[in-house]
Amino acid sequence: MASVERRWSPDGFSPGSSTLSNLKRKSKKTFFFGGTDFIIGPRIVPLPERLKNDEIYQGDDSGAAILEKQLASEEGQEIQYRTCSWQKIAALLFSQFIALPAMSFPFAYSQLGLGLGLAVTAVVAVISFYTSLIIWEFCLRHPEARDVCDIGQMIFGGKEWMWWVIVVVYVLNNIFSQGFSVLSGAQYLNTMTENDIIGGCRTVEFAITITIACWLASLPRTFSLVSKLGTISALFTFAKASLFY
């Protein structure tokens, strides 16, 4: 029983001996496919000192208890930050990590060959899938973690310098990701209008246009709204793959 804290449910749940085996089977399934039957295990690291005076984190500091308090604190609020379903998150991740990078697949496969290209794709997919499962379970056990910087700091024993290291790396990652998106958009517009526009700094003009468009699309305050744009991107990516691949 030490490894079973309670089921992820707004009402809380302490499994009895008669249902423990069924919950373990459900937990294994939801570990791979998600769902509300996943059993949240005990904390891996203690609650950070900066949060111990917050009423949400007082009393039972288990992951399930904190999650329930966080959800209850947002009830009736005009803006709620924990409204993203796994479907919406999937659309966001698809648009960020699959939709745009998929445009580079033909060139990558032309260099690696079909066999090696498929092998590398499978290896990267398995590593990414495993990593996402570990981070998901960690966040369930530690719902006070605000971002990847907090997670890294907690894993490295609460060292403040590690938080700043991950901040720098994360900012650089976002800068390069945005630059890749802007460059890809500018190159796409260049290709599509090659015979229609003559003269001018076309790449720079298109890059500025894409930058403004990306900025406008990022204005929604919550991921729940942004995910709708991600869904549209995912649909167009599927259409593109069906037509050209």
Side-chain angles (χ1 to χ4, degrees):
M1 292 294 291
S3 62
V4 179
E5 193 169 288
R6 69 175 66 180
R7 197 169 105 186
W8 183 24
S9 168
D11 299 325
F13 186 79
S14 297
S17 58
S18 61
T19 60
L20 184 58
S21 59
N22 290 333
L23 286 177
K24 284 184 177 180
R25 285 196 294 270
K26 289 183 178 180
S27 181
K28 290 179 181 179
K29 180 180 179 181
T30 53
F31 181 77
F32 289 99
F33 300 104
T36 58
D37 289 322
F38 184 76
I39 300 174
I40 302 178
R43 300 184 64 87
I44 300 173
V45 295
L47 189 70
E49 290 292 333
R50 60 182 173 80
L51 297 177
K52 291 186 176 179
N53 294 327
D54 192 317
E55 60 179 355
I56 291 182
Y57 304 105
Q58 292 179 355
D60 187 355
D61 66 351
S62 65
I66 292 176
L67 179 61
E68 292 169 16
K69 294 176 185 177
Q70 289 177 335
L71 293 173
S73 68
E74 290 191 355
E75 288 185 4
Q77 298 296 325
E78 183 177 355
I79 296 178
Q80 299 182 3
Y81 291 97
R82 294 172 178 83
T83 57
C84 251
S85 63
W86 71 265
Q87 294 93 339
K88 294 178 180 179
I89 292 296
L92 281 172
L93 295 178
F94 193 97
S95 62
Q96 181 177 1
F97 296 110
I98 298 179
L100 187 59
M103 299 174 66
S104 65
F105 270 41
F107 177 77
Y109 276 44
S110 69
Q111 299 299 309
L112 296 174
L114 182 60
L116 183 57
L118 290 174
V120 171
T121 301
V123 170
V124 173
V126 170
I127 294 174
S128 300
F129 183 60
Y130 176 77
T131 303
S132 67
L133 291 176
I134 296 300
I135 295 177
W136 172 61
E137 184 173 355
F138 186 93
C139 290
L140 284 180
R141 297 187 183 202
H142 303 274
E144 72 277 4
R146 297 166 297 185
D147 46 45
V148 69
C149 303
D150 278 354
I151 294 174
Q153 182 180 10
M154 295 166 71
I155 292 175
F156 283 88
K159 303 296 184 182
E160 185 177 356
W161 62 266
M162 178 53 65
W163 189 89
W164 286 105
V165 168
I166 299 177
V167 165
V168 172
V169 174
Y170 196 58
V171 169
L172 290 175
N173 174 76
N174 286 341
I175 291 174
F176 290 130
S177 297
Q178 293 166 18
F180 176 58
S181 300
V182 170
L183 178 61
S184 298
Q187 288 292 88
Y188 171 79
L189 293 178
N190 258 333
T191 303
M192 297 300 292
T193 61
E194 185 175 2
N195 298 323
D196 300 328
I197 302 176
I198 301 176
C201 299
R202 296 174 359 126
T203 303
V204 175
E205 294 167 357
F206 288 145
I208 293 174
T209 302
I210 295 297
T211 300
I212 295 174
C214 291
W215 176 74
L216 291 174
S218 66
L219 288 180
R221 189 165 181 176
T222 62
F223 279 148
S224 182
L225 293 176
V226 177
S227 66
K228 296 178 181 178
L229 298 175
T231 301
I232 296 174
S233 175
L235 291 175
F236 275 104
T237 300
F238 277 120
K240 173 191 68 178
S242 301
L243 290 173
F244 299 107
Y245 295 161

